[in-house]
Amino acid sequence: MKSIQEFVNLYKGKGYNVAVLRLKERRKVIKYVESKIENVQDIEEERFSVMLEREGRYGISHSSRLEFNGELSPGKIVPVLSQGGELRKEKERVPVQVVELESRYPTYGTLVGVQVERELITSNGFHGLDKDGYTYGYFRVKNGDYSGSWAFSDVNFSKKKVEETVRMAEHFASFQGRAEIEDGEYQVVLSPQAVGNLMMYVANMASKFSILAGTSMFRERGETMGNENITLMDTPCEDRPMSAEFDDEGTHTFNKEVISKGIFINPLSNNELGETTGNAGWINPRPWNLEVKEGDSSLESMLTGNVVFINNVWYTRFNNYSEGIFSTVSRDAVMVYKGGKFVGIAGRVRIADSLKKILSPNAVSKERYSVMWWDAKLQGVYPYLSVNVRLIR
Amino acid sequence: MSSEDIYNKKFSSFSYVEVRKQADSYRLIRTINGEVVSTASVLDKGYSVRFFNDGTLYFSSSNNPENLGAKPDKIQGWEKGFDDQSPSSGNFRAEEEVPISSKSIREKEEILKNLYQEASSQPLHSKLKSLNLDYVERVEEKDVTINGISFSSYVPRVLLSAVIVMKNERMTVNGRFEYGGSGGLEHLREVDLKEKVKALDDLLVKGKSVEPGSTNVVVSGNISGIMAHESVGHPFEADRILGREFAQAGLSYLTFMKGRIGSDAVTVIDDPTIKKSNGYYEIDDEGVKAKEKVLIKEGNINELLHDRFSGYRMDTRSNGSGRASSHSREPLVRMSNTFFKPGKVKFHDLIDVSNGVFIKSYMEWNIDDMRLGQRYVGLEAYEIKHGEVGDPLLFPVLEGNTDQLLKSVEEVDDSLQFFPGTCGKGDPDQPVPVWLGGPDMLLNYKVRRI
């Protein structure tokens, strides 16, 4: 079997621009049902992605073998490789372990550990190797008709982190009693889990490919999309899950503000769609991991007045990508506060509004959490956000 | 190495073992406004084993069969046992009327370009900002051994997804439409993008606000299909009722609802054996023979979707609903082709009312994690006036609980339309191809403005 370098040299000798991205991943998934282990999964995968380009015709192929099994087509957009260089990062992380959960309520969830090797060799002389790992967990507890959830993500596994996450989920599930709310505009405090779900959509829309395809609410750099309380960053250089040293075209990654105090300042780009931001994706740039800058509010202060706190959301769908018009459904504790006092749980509600309203918070917490969960697969560090949005039953 | 060889070599000592060798090969072409922006091919090939030990399921997958295996931990797991019905053997394949290989990639690119040309060159009053097409052809090959008994399958599929963005001085609209199923390129005959673009143009130009309140709501097979999938298919997955998916896609209203949940006109079926369907299979990934399941029969809860593990736990048998999306994913209780059963009346009988709303397609939709509270926002929607379909309406919203919606169904017509979908479930997530379908249905219900 040829080495990747030999494969690249072979095609380079035939006049091709070529890039080979090798991704090897070992994933351990421990699934919990009613506080017991239902399932343990060990998933090992190695994939070679090959991009070949010559005279404006290109193709991409993905296979478990080092081969090119695609065809070259003339494309409107053609991947452009960065100049050579060498980057090597090898991090030893504490791997995930099977742990038995202790909780006062039946607990459900998954604990996931991932070890990743990502290697890129290009015909422009770039060679990058990135070996890293991370752990994340998401737990949902059931207290009769009430429930609560919480999530964490970290580069190292720790049993303490799992226990703290379960305690937080228990905390939200412990609130009881019913409160009714009518359809209308509310001051809503979103938990970091809910923020994680919504920011995943915002960041994907910030890709220049989404803008080109018309499936983004963003149009151009410099437009106002929120208020000065919101700054959203792409943070591949932080010591966090899913960080990366180089992108798929061999560009060094760097941290950047995507939205700075409400202004869209950095569309995520690769070489072929404009000035690169180190976010390639051949053809389609993507975010690595995210951060919303902290504010100066405490969660306690955000819950004063008439407020609805939402523990989590899922199933976010858009009626209009171009305008950011969406709805999303709450899950777990929807806590109603009147005059700063908890009055009950409202049951399931839907936020039906514009993402621009989510990007215009009236308060942002100082406290932040590193989360990743089943419907927020892009890792991020998020605060609580207080926003004014329309809730419907 | 075959799945049977792997079973015999390493895993025959466990009481229940699945070994699967699976290869999924894809070709993808993406166009924006008639220009190719990306072509890719994917070969996703590997092996997996899943076995049962002391109440826990262990799953292991790899590209290399030598690396399969998991060391059972000393834990008492949640599972109780498994339905030990004998696995089926044999093989099945989906036939291609127009073979995928009968056209080159260049010719397929030309088809996509022509679809754009045809849709964009018609007279329009608004601007077609973008029409993006994703074409995917996929061949799924499986070699599976369950407790020493083997079967194999070969299922090709074609899927075309279109996203349309249109604009005039009033507003922007987005539409998403999908076409496809198992088989070959014959599914591309169903593509009607020219009509879809025209319909969105009409909506932009003539669309008027919907009058909120109770009315006669006629929904097409597109809407009845998504309702069948979201509000019946998912909550009838037995593993959800048992809580196995509580942390992911949630629970089911069937944890507390019993008996009648719909009107007499409501019968909902899941059937993997439909030829040409997107969710086609004859034997599930646990080796159980596939069959039609009647989930709701004339308004009454009738049957759940089961795999071997949920079947055992609920003191019944698997009905062949265990599906895995790739070699690296475990089988889960899944839907296949889920639809409302058609009735006898005609469409013109359904709209034979003094006034109402006809919702033909949707854009935004979602449902809560008990599968009760749902929302469908109409895209192609029209007023009904004196028994005729009239002017387009702007985004009527159908919202409510599953039992309210199903009990409000007054009549269903004799048509049956299917639409392809990709159903998500599990952790790690595993998307599986399905069809969603149904007849046109008349509901006595309420609509609201977006």
Side-chain angles (χ1 to χ4, degrees):
Chain A
M1 186 186 159
K2 284 188 178 59
S3 70
I4 298 175
Q5 190 65 63
E6 286 169 339
F7 183 91
V8 168
N9 291 345
L10 177 73
Y11 278 98
K12 188 180 177 184
K14 294 177 182 174
Y16 289 94
N17 286 313
V18 51
V20 177
L21 181 68
R22 180 179 67 89
L23 192 66
K24 186 172 183 179
E25 193 180 275
R26 284 197 178 87
R27 181 176 289 259
K28 191 173 194 77
V29 181
I30 303 146
K31 183 166 186 172
Y32 298 88
V33 180
E34 292 174 334
S35 307
K36 287 184 175 172
I37 294 172
E38 191 273 339
N39 180 310
V40 179
Q41 303 181 51
D42 285 290
I43 299 168
E44 174 191 281
E45 251 178 313
E46 187 168 42
R47 175 182 273 205
F48 296 88
S49 297
V50 177
M51 191 287 295
L52 286 186
E53 185 272 329
R54 191 167 67 180
E55 294 167 357
R57 297 164 66 87
Y58 85 98
I60 294 167
S61 118
H62 309 276
S63 174
S64 54
R65 289 193 302 242
L66 179 56
E67 62 183 357
F68 181 77
N69 58 18
E71 288 189 40
L72 303 192
S73 290
K76 184 187 177 188
I77 312 164
V78 175
V80 178
L81 300 175
S82 293
Q83 289 309 304
E86 192 151 339
L87 271 176
R88 194 177 182 92
K89 183 189 88 182
E90 293 186 52
K91 296 266 190 182
E92 285 294 321
R93 306 295 193 185
V94 180
V96 73
Q97 290 169 25
V98 175
V99 291
E100 299 201 54
L101 298 181
E102 285 175 23
S103 170
R104 59 184 157 134
Y105 304 127
T107 303
Y108 305 72
T110 45
L111 179 60
V112 181
V114 184
Q115 291 173 269
V116 191
E117 268 182 52
R118 189 169 158 269
E119 183 174 20
L120 176 72
I121 299 182
T122 75
S123 52
N124 277 4
F126 180 84
H127 187 178
L129 179 67
D130 198 337
K131 288 188 183 182
D132 210 337
Y134 57 92
T135 300
Y136 66 96
Y138 167 59
F139 299 102
R140 203 170 176 207
V141 306
K142 204 163 179 295
N143 173 21
D145 289 339
Y146 302 94
S147 64
S149 67
W150 204 250
F152 79 93
S153 61
D154 204 332
V155 288
N156 291 306
F157 167 77
S158 83
K159 193 177 173 201
K160 188 168 168 245
K161 206 82 180 169
V162 174
E163 289 166 350
E164 285 170 358
T165 305
V166 173
R167 294 295 89 78
M168 281 291 272
E170 285 174 348
H171 167 72
F172 290 113
S174 68
F175 289 84
Q176 296 187 46
R178 290 292 174 197
E180 290 299 322
I181 59 172
E182 301 295 322
D183 293 1
E185 184 101 355
Y186 286 85
Q187 189 179 329
V188 171
V189 174
L190 298 170
S191 83
Q193 292 182 109
V195 174
N197 174 279
L198 297 171
M199 289 302 156
M200 176 174 68
Y201 292 96
V202 173
N204 287 329
M205 283 191 185
S207 160
K208 270 198 171 171
F209 188 85
S210 302
I211 297 170
L212 176 79
T215 53
S216 171
M217 63 177 179
F218 299 110
R219 305 281 183 277
E220 57 190 7
R221 190 190 296 251
E223 63 188 326
T224 301
M225 300 302 290
N227 69 16
E228 61 179 17
N229 293 330
I230 196 86
T231 293
L232 173 68
M233 295 186 71
D234 175 51
T235 57
C237 297
E238 296 301 310
D239 193 26
R240 288 181 187 156
M242 298 173 83
S243 282
E245 296 282 306
F246 53 88
D247 74 7
D248 295 359
E249 293 174 343
T251 304
H252 294 210
T253 57
F254 56 94
N255 294 343
K256 69 211 64 89
E257 290 180 343
V258 178
I259 296 170
S260 180
K261 296 185 175 176
I263 313 290
F264 180 49
I265 61 165
N266 270 313
L268 301 177
S269 188
N270 49 21
N271 287 319
E272 53 271 26
L273 293 177
E275 190 184 341
T276 183
T277 53
N279 290 87
W282 301 325
I283 306 299
N284 192 356
R286 47 62 157 99
W288 294 104
N289 48 21
L290 300 175
E291 173 182 335
V292 171
K293 283 282 185 197
E294 72 273 24
D296 54 11
S297 300
S298 65
L299 174 61
E300 196 179 25
S301 70
M302 292 162 83
L303 296 176
T304 56
N306 298 328
V307 179
V308 177
F309 173 89
I310 294 185
N311 189 188
N312 208 354
V313 297
W314 82 310
Y315 225 134
T316 302
R317 292 292 183 274
F318 287 79
N319 189 54
N320 189 325
Y321 290 97
S322 317
E323 307 295 336
I325 307 297
F326 77 104
S327 71
T328 190
V329 190
S330 75
R331 47 196 271 165
D332 304 313
V334 175
M335 297 154 67
V336 181
Y337 289 82
K338 286 191 177 157
K341 197 175 163 198
F342 170 74
V343 295
I345 298 288
R348 291 166 178 84
V349 296
R350 194 172 262 109
I351 300 173
D353 217 311
S354 162
L355 273 185
K356 291 176 190 169
K357 300 272 276 290
I358 304 295
L359 296 176
S360 304
N362 49 53
V364 179
S365 74
K366 197 171 173 57
E367 191 180 345
R368 295 189 302 171
Y369 293 85
S370 174
V371 300
M372 194 172 166
W373 69 279
W374 185 72
D375 205 10
K377 293 187 175 73
L378 192 57
Q379 190 273 341
V381 175
Y382 303 112
Y384 295 94
L385 292 185
S386 175
V387 293
N388 282 86
V389 287
R390 187 167 64 113
L391 296 182
I392 52 178
R393 295 292 308 170
Chain B
M1 192 183 280
S2 71
S3 64
E4 191 175 357
D5 292 340
I6 298 167
Y7 172 81
N8 288 329
K9 192 172 166 188
K10 289 173 82 169
F11 298 106
S12 56
S13 62
F14 292 99
S15 57
Y16 176 78
V17 186
E18 299 151 10
V19 182
R20 186 157 31 93
K21 176 183 175 184
Q22 183 167 343
D24 291 278
S25 52
Y26 303 78
R27 293 232 182 231
L28 305 96
I29 307 171
R30 171 173 282 184
T31 65
I32 295 180
N33 293 339
E35 295 190 87
V36 176
V37 293
S38 169
T39 59
S41 47
V42 181
L43 177 60
D44 186 15
K45 186 176 176 181
Y47 303 80
S48 66
V49 62
R50 186 171 72 159
F51 59 86
F52 177 76
N53 189 74
D54 275 348
T56 301
L57 282 163
Y58 293 87
F59 177 81
S60 163
S61 78
S62 175
N63 303 118
N64 182 351
E66 300 297 335
N67 293 352
L68 291 181
K71 199 169 134 240
D73 295 281
K74 286 186 180 158
I75 45 175
Q76 183 57 49
W78 177 79
E79 293 286 0
K80 298 282 188 200
F82 57 92
D83 165 17
D84 62 356
Q85 65 177 289
S86 293
S88 293
S89 61
N91 64 74
F92 64 90
R93 60 184 294 137
E95 299 303 330
E96 296 163 80
E97 186 186 324
V98 182
I100 288 171
S101 60
S102 66
K103 290 200 187 300
S104 68
I105 288 285
R106 285 297 91 69
E107 289 172 310
K108 289 164 189 165
E109 289 171 357
E110 283 306 311
I111 291 172
L112 301 190
K113 287 177 186 176
N114 290 338
L115 286 172
Y116 172 73
Q117 279 305 325
E118 194 185 51
S120 62
S121 60
Q122 64 184 317
L124 296 171
H125 298 96
S126 358
K127 184 174 165 52
L128 176 59
K129 283 197 74 185
S130 59
L131 196 170
N132 310 331
L133 299 175
D134 280 354
Y135 165 83
V136 183
E137 58 190 38
R138 171 189 178 182
V139 177
E140 174 194 275
E141 293 174 89
K142 292 181 181 179
D143 157 24
V144 184
T145 297
I146 314 289
N147 283 6
I149 296 175
S150 302
F151 73 91
S152 63
S153 64
Y154 178 93
V155 181
R157 291 184 177 89
V158 166
L159 177 70
L160 183 77
S161 307
V163 174
I164 300 170
V165 182
M166 294 186 73
K167 184 179 168 78
N168 70 358
E169 60 286 351
R170 289 173 75 195
M171 61 184 164
T172 311
V173 292
N174 295 182
R176 183 184 169 84
F177 304 96
E178 293 191 309
Y179 311 86
S182 63
L185 299 173
E186 64 274 14
H187 289 290
L188 296 181
R189 290 182 200 137
E190 302 146 16
V191 178
D192 58 352
L193 286 173
K194 185 179 175 185
E195 291 75 16
K196 294 299 180 194
V197 166
K198 184 73 184 112
L200 297 190
D201 186 48
D202 283 348
L203 180 66
L204 281 164
V205 175
K206 295 189 247 167
K208 52 191 190 188
S209 229
V210 68
E211 196 58 47
S214 293
T215 188
N216 299 295
V217 182
V218 176
V219 297
S220 76
N222 190 233
I223 313 291
S224 62
I226 189 74
M227 286 171 67
H229 181 91
E230 300 291 3
S231 65
V232 182
H234 273 304
F236 278 63
E237 294 162 346
D239 58 341
R240 291 178 71 114
I241 299 164
L242 291 166
R244 192 186 192 270
E245 293 298 311
F246 179 60
Q248 289 83 34
L251 277 178
S252 164
Y253 54 77
L254 293 183
T255 52
F256 61 89
M257 277 176 149
K258 310 285 173 210
R260 174 167 286 274
I261 57 167
S263 72
D264 288 346
V266 172
T267 292
V268 180
I269 293 167
D270 184 86
D271 186 357
T273 66
I274 299 171
K275 307 287 184 205
K276 298 276 177 204
S277 66
N278 210 28
Y280 171 73
Y281 60 91
E282 298 284 351
I283 302 172
D284 82 354
D285 289 321
E286 295 178 343
V288 177
K289 195 162 173 47
K291 62 173 187 174
E292 178 190 277
K293 281 91 57 176
V294 181
L295 308 180
I296 298 177
K297 191 173 184 181
E298 294 167 2
N300 291 302
I301 296 163
N302 186 63
E303 188 179 5
L304 305 178
L305 298 170
H306 278 293
D307 66 3
R308 287 180 183 269
F309 299 92
S310 68
Y312 182 88
R313 212 175 165 101
M314 294 175 89
D315 201 21
T316 182
R317 292 286 196 181
S318 166
N319 48 21
S321 304
R323 295 181 75 188
S325 65
S326 77
H327 77 274
S328 61
R329 298 291 183 267
E330 61 165 343
L332 296 172
V333 179
R334 305 305 297 260
M335 279 174 270
S336 57
N337 307 301
T338 315
F339 58 98
F340 282 85
K341 187 179 173 184
K344 291 197 169 86
V345 302
K346 301 289 179 193
F347 179 68
H348 64 76
D349 298 319
L350 295 188
I351 62 167
D352 189 20
V353 290
S354 57
N355 60 67
V357 174
F358 172 48
I359 307 178
K360 191 176 176 187
S361 63
Y362 62 94
M363 184 62 191
E364 173 196 330
W365 88 100
N366 48 32
I367 189 164
D368 71 33
D369 64 306
M370 286 299 274
R371 297 280 158 181
L372 262 180
Q374 60 216 276
R375 169 181 167 100
Y376 308 102
V377 181
L379 180 63
E380 293 168 274
Y382 305 89
E383 64 179 351
I384 300 171
K385 253 189 167 170
H386 310 301
E388 300 285 338
V389 174
D391 286 337
L393 294 173
L394 292 170
F395 317 119
V397 181
L398 199 57
E399 258 175 13
N401 280 357
T402 297
D403 56 331
Q404 295 167 344
L405 279 160
L406 296 182
K407 284 176 180 166
S408 74
V409 177
E410 299 206 328
E411 269 188 314
V412 301
D413 76 9
D414 61 355
S415 66
L416 178 56
Q417 280 188 291
F418 286 106
F419 299 85
T422 304
C423 175
K425 188 176 176 180
D427 198 352
D429 193 29
Q430 44 168 318
V432 296
V434 295
W435 258 3
L436 340 165
D440 302 299
M441 306 198 304
L442 169 65
L443 285 70
N444 183 354
Y445 207 68
K446 57 187 185 287
V447 290
R448 66 191 291 173
R449 290 182 184 143
I450 191 170

